[in-house]
Amino acid sequence: GQNGLILTSPDADNWTRRGNGLTLNTLRAVVWAADQFVVVGDNGTVLTSPDGLNWSKRATGMLADLQDVYFDGGLYLASGTNGTILSSADGVSWSQEYFNPNTPLNTVHGDGTVDVVAGGLTGNGAIYTRPR
């Protein structure tokens, strides 16, 4: 959430704040995959946790606001503003896959054979696909 807010709950009734002090950036999406949580957010923020309790900040080298994150079974993909697509095999080291400032991207998913990133604002729609 806003200002780096991370909440966890064992029962969806009682919540505890986590990840204090790692970032003040807004966090926008989370995925659980390959035995860890990966959270993405504004200014290229990526946080990882093996248990939802202990969090680590990961360097991306990007300032784009990351809007979504997906795991395709072997690779994490994160998409965001300025047409940014980042990839990571382990959630720790991230590489730029695609960048086009005229194509704001914000949705990432796959169907088992192809990873798809799509988005756009005011007519600047785009679809980026990558075979697995």
Side-chain angles (χ1 to χ4, degrees):
Q2 291 184 332
N3 298 315
L5 178 65
I6 297 173
L7 300 172
T8 62
S9 173
D11 57 14
D13 286 323
N14 301 296
W15 294 88
T16 303
R17 186 180 181 109
R18 307 289 182 188
N20 294 350
L22 287 178
T23 185
L24 292 178
N25 291 311
T26 296
L27 303 175
R28 301 192 177 272
V30 61
V31 66
W32 167 261
D35 299 327
Q36 69 179 338
F37 291 99
V38 175
V39 174
V40 299
D42 290 357
N43 295 310
T45 300
V46 174
L47 305 176
T48 63
S49 172
D51 55 14
L53 307 176
N54 303 294
W55 292 86
S56 298
K57 190 171 184 178
R58 306 301 181 181
T60 62
M62 297 297 294
L63 295 178
D65 293 342
L66 300 175
Q67 304 287 328
D68 205 359
V69 62
Y70 167 75
F71 184 72
D72 74 0
L75 192 68
Y76 293 93
L77 292 173
S79 62
T81 58
N82 297 324
T84 300
I85 301 173
L86 303 179
S87 66
S88 174
D90 58 9
V92 175
S93 300
W94 291 83
S95 300
Q96 181 178 304
E97 284 237 355
Y98 180 79
F99 178 79
N100 181 343
N102 296 315
T103 309
L105 300 169
N106 60 11
T107 301
V108 60
H109 71 276
D111 68 357
T113 59
V114 177
D115 295 319
V116 179
V117 181
L121 298 171
T122 60
N124 291 331
I127 296 176
Y128 166 85
T129 62
R130 185 182 65 78
R132 288 195 191 163

